[in-house]
Amino acid sequence: MTAGRSMQAGTTGAGEPQAPGNPQAPGNPDGPVALVVDAEGLVCPWPVLKARKALNTLAAGAVIEVIATDPASYIDIPAFCDTGGHVLLDQRRDGPRFVYRVRKGAGD
């Protein structure tokens, strides 16, 4: 699944959450990104499970960025936010990748 993928600096190679390179980048009105969740190459339900795991380590109001390649994530991540009480701040496509910014709700 992820074999043969080159690792970028700061990745663990296992799709674990990692600290972002520049969370205070311009155009980031929703606050700094606490964690970047690399779910590239993973299929349903793994992008949602990795997002949930990352959010469980953070305080309410924290923001994560999820990067996925599974087209089903375009439905799954918003549904996860709705049912989990989280806020989907942004959802966009970047080539073959889907990028989501999620703010943790107070319910977890």
Side-chain angles (χ1 to χ4, degrees):
M1 190 174 339
T2 58
R5 242 184 37 198
S6 63
M7 290 194 296
Q8 298 173 354
T11 63
T12 63
E16 291 299 315
Q18 56 186 329
N22 185 6
Q24 298 286 5
N28 191 358
D30 300 310
V33 173
L35 290 173
V36 174
V37 178
D38 179 10
E40 290 184 75
L42 302 177
V43 296
C44 181
W46 290 106
V48 167
L49 295 175
K50 288 194 162 292
R52 177 181 294 141
K53 181 178 179 181
L55 288 170
N56 284 341
T57 67
L58 301 171
V63 176
I64 66 168
E65 185 171 88
V66 181
I67 302 170
T69 50
D70 181 12
S73 68
Y74 211 71
I75 296 168
D76 296 342
I77 297 289
F80 162 69
C81 291
D82 288 343
T83 61
H86 308 297
V87 178
L88 181 63
L89 299 171
D90 185 42
Q91 168 177 308
R92 63 184 167 84
R93 186 158 190 175
D94 181 14
R97 302 183 317 159
F98 299 91
V99 181
Y100 309 91
R101 292 172 49 80
V102 177
R103 182 182 308 279
K104 182 175 179 172
D108 276 350

